[in-house]
Amino acid sequence: MPPVFRFAPSPNGYLHLGHAYSALLNFDLAQQSGGRFLLRIEDIDGTRCRPEFEAAIYEDLAWLGIAWETPVRRQSEHFAAYREAIDRLQADGLIYPSFESRAEIARLVAEREARGAWPRDPDGAPLYPGTAKSLTEDERGRLMEQGAPYALRLDMAAACARAGDLHWREQGEGPAGETGDVAARPQAWGNVILARKETPTSYHLSVVIDDALQGVTEVVRGTDLFWSTSVHRLLQDLLGLPAPAYRHHRLIPDDAGNKLSKSTRATGLRELRAAGASPADIRRLIGLPPFCGGQPASPP
Ligand code: GLU
């Protein structure tokens, strides 16, 4: 079976050099290994994703010389598949609803921090401090009936107890040089949100389901997502899904050494193209060798 790679952008802004690096690296690795290359549109957030950004993704990738299989999977068309997974986790008693607003959560965190350090997840966000897990069925039912907004959270302690120790095969590198056989640490994320009342999924859940449904065998993505892999391994285990191999690659910084953002115009692919850059210039800028079909890409 040929390896299957994918590039999975969210259409919530225009692509920049960092996206170009990830997309081209995936594409080159697929070409060199006789593998397949898929494009997936991660558009579950209806408030931030826009059709013009999606159209620009196709245009920019084609300009870079990338070809992908069709039809392209658009996550917003598959909410039923994600809901089914949520239902399974719920039936297994691994999910519970929490009703606190963002402001209430911020207040609870401040309270905890006033009493001492409160843990933060690998992205630097405070762990969920609420106690919604201990609400009674009656209390939950009443809040639901009142139409209160809620988030569905993974009961991390129960989930980890069920899954046991998990690892993944890392062919790239984590933020501290982690590579090879990496031990997953999902506990570091606390009781993560897997769905919301309005959106029956989350990044973590949909990425894991889609990678499995699409037969992805190699996940090649930025090192900023390295520790998210812990949650992905846990969900794969709980849902009985296969684990791909992972290769986390370096991020492309801007001139000041900061992480690129979709709003930084100087490094946007469209701006660079309008300023006369060629696809070969883009490869040079991000340190990828010219594509000569079969030549190895530089290590991430
Ligand atoms: N959609 C994610 C992003 O744009 C990438 C998901 C992944 O590669 O796992 O950051």
Side-chain angles (χ1 to χ4, degrees), residues 12-35:
N12 55 14
Y14 291 112
L15 300 187
H16 54 56
L17 286 175
H19 298 107
Y21 183 72
S22 205
L24 285 167
L25 187 62
N26 269 288
F27 183 66
D28 287 2
L29 289 166
Q31 297 280 103
Q32 288 151 18
S33 58

Side-chain angles (χ1 to χ4, degrees), residues 94-203:
L94 298 175
I95 278 187
Y96 67 91
S98 68
F99 298 88
E100 297 94 344
S101 64
R102 279 177 214 273
E104 264 174 280
I105 289 184
R107 188 183 56 74
L108 288 172
V109 169
E111 238 175 67
R112 305 277 190 284
E113 282 178 338
R115 281 189 257 136
W118 181 252
R120 289 179 174 250
D121 70 24
D123 282 348
L127 297 198
Y128 169 65
T131 52
K133 198 164 105 180
S134 51
L135 288 176
T136 64
E137 278 310 317
D138 276 1
E139 287 167 326
R140 277 181 194 155
R142 207 168 40 247
L143 285 160
M144 294 265 185
E145 256 168 46
Q146 288 165 4
Y150 59 86
L152 292 175
R153 293 181 181 272
L154 185 65
D155 180 342
M156 187 55 84
C160 288
R162 161 124 10 155
D165 285 347
L166 296 168
H167 292 76
W168 78 84
R169 188 154 60 89
E170 176 62 45
Q171 298 170 324
E173 216 174 77
E178 300 89 344
T179 192
D181 181 42
V182 178
R185 290 192 276 150
Q187 301 86 339
W189 293 92
N191 295 350
V192 282
I193 293 179
L194 292 188
R196 292 182 189 275
K197 184 181 179 189
E198 313 301 342
T199 313
T201 189
S202 58
Y203 159 64

Side-chain angles (χ1 to χ4, degrees), residues 68-89:
W68 55 91
E69 292 184 13
T70 51
V72 167
R73 185 173 173 92
R74 301 170 74 239
Q75 292 188 324
S76 59
E77 292 168 358
H78 298 278
F79 283 134
Y82 310 134
R83 197 183 295 274
E84 200 181 299
I86 288 285
D87 289 347
R88 272 183 62 188
L89 294 170

Side-chain angles (χ1 to χ4, degrees), residues 189-221:
W189 293 92
N191 295 350
V192 282
I193 293 179
L194 292 188
R196 292 182 189 275
K197 184 181 179 189
E198 313 301 342
T199 313
T201 189
S202 58
Y203 159 64
H204 292 310
L205 186 72
S206 38
V207 86
V208 154
I209 290 178
D210 285 359
D211 284 340
L213 273 173
Q214 297 189 287
V216 170
T217 59
E218 322 282 321
V219 171
V220 178
R221 61 186 178 194

